[in-house]
Amino acid sequence: MSNPFLVMEDQLIANALKIRFFPITVQSAKGTRLTDPNGKEYLDLTAGWAVAGIGYSHQRISQVIKEQYDTLSFTSQLSAPEQTMVALANKLVEITPGNFSKKVWFGHSGSDANDCIAKLVPLAKKRSRMISFMGSYHGQTMGSLSLSGHPAQSMFIGSGNVIKIPYPNPYRPPFGETNRLTDQVLQYLEDEVFRTVCPPEQTAGLIIEGIQSDGGLIVPPDDFLPRLEKLCKHYDIALIFDEVKVGMGRTGKWFSYEHTGVTPDATVLGKSLGAGLPLSAVVARQEILDVGSGIHMFTTSGNPVCSRAALENIAILEEEFLLKQAQENGDYFMKLLKELQTKVEWIGDVRGHGLAIGIELVEDRITKTPATEKTAAICYRCYELGLLVFYVGIHSNVIEITPPLTITKEEIEHAVSVLEQAFTDLAYGKIDMDLVKSSQDGS
Ligand SMILES: Cc1ncc(COP(=O)(O)O)c(C=O)c1O
């Protein structure tokens, strides 16, 4: 490691906080671009793990943060509430589907919001068990990791009340047949899971990502979510959507599940909600969030500066028609990537919705052997070429594309040309694989 800043960072910052793909350091950011200390600019298709939904350093956000801090920098909403947080709750209730009485809980990260679900749903339903999906990523606190089914959390023994079932992955169908995927996963749930380890009358809730993002940007078949909703209703099991990564407009609607018309009992939000400031929320049926007083509270929850930023964020998304743009530009991105797929044998699948897109790399399209090293190499080469992409997936072989929703068609064309260049360089052995390996995971 030759960069003196990275040497110091390596000495001082806990590895527990790191997941690294290339040795970038960031000096500043604006819109869709990051700039490093040498002045090199990068087009960012990661949006910092999908946080910079409206892009970086939006002028309107910067202004309201300052105004809010000058007026009221902080109050603990737990004991002395103020109006900004309440206005934000009102807006979130308005944009979340469900013609029933809803309330809002606020926290700081997707993890603490999913902890809210892990704690409150079993209490509210007076049932102890929960169901989640293999490959899901709900966070790193003990409650949220218990709900997760991702290898990132597999070294921890979480709470034993959560049963994990296969996610309906059309590209790698867990029961072998893509055209019977919904039937097979739901049959497994009803005939095997409910009859053995997780009786429905003991099951409080089921949590799912509408698009399983860290699991590999997997989009379930169209009929899966509506049929899952029906099944949950039948057994009176709360249906919870984790929209932390793909919510807030990324897929072209406020929430990814809206494309299938389902109405969950709870929606979990985080990441881009605070426009870069730490803020998460659960919007849920009143009876879930009112199950007890003071049982899931954090001193700085819903703080006025974050709440004000989130309100302005939502106003920008609405006034700049960014949901529509995410849908249109997402379709365009996907079209160009599908064209690229016809030229690159290693691209096994391109999938997604709006500006949540995954490119799955395989050694060949017949065996579908995950091309893990090649995926890392492509991300690394893109970084060298001024384009930032991370990879996800339980085999670490899916390039994740979650840019700011403000990305333009020209930037999309540029991004695809850089990806194409990276694939060409890989084919011609121009990528230093030792450098790629030494850049992974802070090693
Ligand atoms: C779907 C989903 N839920 C929850 C989380 C956890 O959010 P955080 O890292 O803000 O705690 C993530 C993070 O990647 C996520 O993608």
Side-chain angles (χ1 to χ4, degrees):
M1 206 183 283
S2 57
N3 177 336
F5 164 76
L6 282 181
V7 171
M8 195 169 167
E9 194 260 2
D10 187 46
Q11 284 166 0
L12 289 171
I13 303 299
N15 281 4
L17 266 181
K18 295 177 190 175
I19 172 168
R20 298 289 159 86
F21 303 88
F22 29 73
I24 192 169
T25 63
V26 185
Q27 181 77 15
S28 62
K30 186 86 189 151
T32 54
R33 314 274 170 151
L34 300 184
T35 306
D36 76 9
N38 300 320
K40 179 172 174 185
E41 210 176 72
Y42 300 84
L43 175 59
D44 184 14
L45 297 190
T46 75
W49 288 115
V51 170
I54 52 164
Y56 293 94
S57 305
H58 201 292
Q59 209 43 47
R60 280 175 63 178
I61 301 288
S62 142
Q63 202 173 328
V64 295
I65 288 175
K66 185 167 181 331
E67 275 168 23
Q68 183 60 50
Y69 194 86
D70 287 346
T71 312
L72 175 66
S73 61
F74 178 70
T75 171
S76 182
Q77 308 270 14
L78 311 180
S79 309
E82 57 75 58
Q83 59 182 358
T84 317
M85 175 186 71
V86 177
L88 176 60
N90 196 37
K91 186 69 191 173
L92 290 176
V93 164
E94 181 195 309
I95 63 174
T96 309
N99 201 8
F100 42 76
S101 181
K102 281 175 257 163
K103 277 197 163 186
V104 183
W105 172 95
F106 286 112
H108 315 88
S109 70
S111 301
D112 64 16
N114 282 320
D115 252 28
C116 178
I117 295 297
K119 283 167 71 177
L120 269 50
V121 172
L123 208 58
K125 298 294 267 188
K126 297 191 176 64
R127 297 174 175 187
S128 58
R129 298 184 188 279
M130 296 288 286
I131 293 173
S132 69
F133 286 82
M134 291 172 189
S136 65
Y137 187 107
H138 298 297
Q140 295 272 7
T141 55
M142 286 311 287
S144 60
L145 80 81
S146 297
L147 294 174
S148 302
H150 195 275
Q153 290 95 342
S154 62
M155 72 177 77
F156 304 101
I157 309 296
S159 169
N161 68 328
V162 186
I163 301 298
K164 286 144 200 180
I165 63 171
Y167 195 84
N169 180 345
Y171 189 64
R172 297 180 186 276
F175 299 101
E177 287 176 73
T178 297
N179 54 7
R180 294 194 54 231
L181 195 47
T182 297
D183 282 344
Q184 287 179 328
V185 171
L186 295 183
Q187 248 166 37
Y188 175 75
L189 177 58
E190 282 205 275
D191 296 349
E192 306 292 335
V193 176
F194 281 171
R195 276 175 209 271
T196 56
V197 289
C198 193
E201 64 278 8
Q202 291 177 23
T203 305
L206 177 149
I207 182 165
I208 184 166
E209 296 168 77
I211 295 177
Q212 196 179 70
S213 35
D214 288 320
L217 241 301
I218 304 165
V219 184
D222 288 346
D223 65 341
F224 184 75
L225 297 178
R227 285 185 54 195
L228 185 68
E229 179 187 40
K230 215 166 143 200
L231 191 140
C232 286
K233 276 214 173 80
H234 177 75
Y235 291 107
D236 191 24
I237 293 170
L239 176 61
I240 301 120
F241 272 82
D242 179 345
E243 290 281 317
V244 168
K245 197 187 252 178
V246 297
M248 299 311 294
R250 175 156 297 285
T251 66
K253 291 195 184 282
W254 284 116
F255 310 111
S256 71
Y257 57 75
E258 288 182 272
H259 293 284
T260 61
V262 305
T263 303
D265 298 291
T267 301
V268 183
L269 301 172
K271 291 200 189 258
S272 69
L273 175 64
L277 300 197
L279 184 68
S280 61
V282 176
V283 187
R285 284 184 183 272
Q286 183 240 324
E287 57 270 29
I288 294 176
L289 295 181
D290 277 353
V291 64
S293 270
I295 56 173
H296 195 61
M297 57 178 182
F298 303 106
T299 315
T300 56
S301 279
N303 95 67
V305 178
C306 297
S307 296
R308 184 76 191 278
L311 269 172
E312 194 68 9
N313 184 23
I314 295 173
I316 292 166
L317 287 163
E318 285 176 331
E319 288 161 27
E320 297 184 8
F321 305 104
L322 291 178
L323 276 59
K324 189 164 169 273
Q325 189 172 318
Q327 181 71 66
E328 285 171 9
N329 285 352
D331 289 348
Y332 185 58
F333 215 145
M334 195 99 86
K335 176 179 160 288
L336 297 191
L337 289 172
K338 293 226 182 227
E339 282 166 23
L340 184 62
Q341 187 182 16
T342 63
K343 300 183 218 166
V344 180
E345 270 297 304
W346 294 316
I347 300 182
D349 197 27
V350 176
R351 56 193 177 234
H353 220 138
L355 286 168
I357 301 173
I359 310 171
E360 177 152 357
L361 301 194
V362 291
E363 294 296 346
D364 67 79
R365 291 183 190 169
I366 307 295
T367 64
K368 298 185 182 174
T369 305
T372 305
E373 281 182 12
K374 291 187 173 71
T375 311
I378 293 295
C379 291
Y380 192 92
R381 185 67 182 135
C382 283
Y383 150 75
E384 290 182 322
L385 296 169
L387 181 76
L388 302 185
V389 275
F390 297 148
Y391 58 79
V392 294
I394 59 169
H395 305 291
S396 303
N397 70 324
V398 179
I399 298 171
E400 182 178 82
I401 297 186
T402 53
L405 310 190
T406 52
I407 192 168
T408 63
K409 287 207 163 55
E410 292 70 34
E411 287 175 321
I412 289 169
E413 286 158 10
H414 173 69
V416 175
S417 73
V418 173
L419 277 163
E420 183 164 4
Q421 176 72 52
F423 279 110
T424 307
D425 293 347
L426 182 63
Y428 284 97
K430 283 194 194 161
I431 303 178
D432 183 339
M433 295 306 287
D434 290 336
L435 219 50
V436 175
K437 277 200 196 83
S438 69
S439 301
Q440 310 296 300
D441 284 340
S443 54

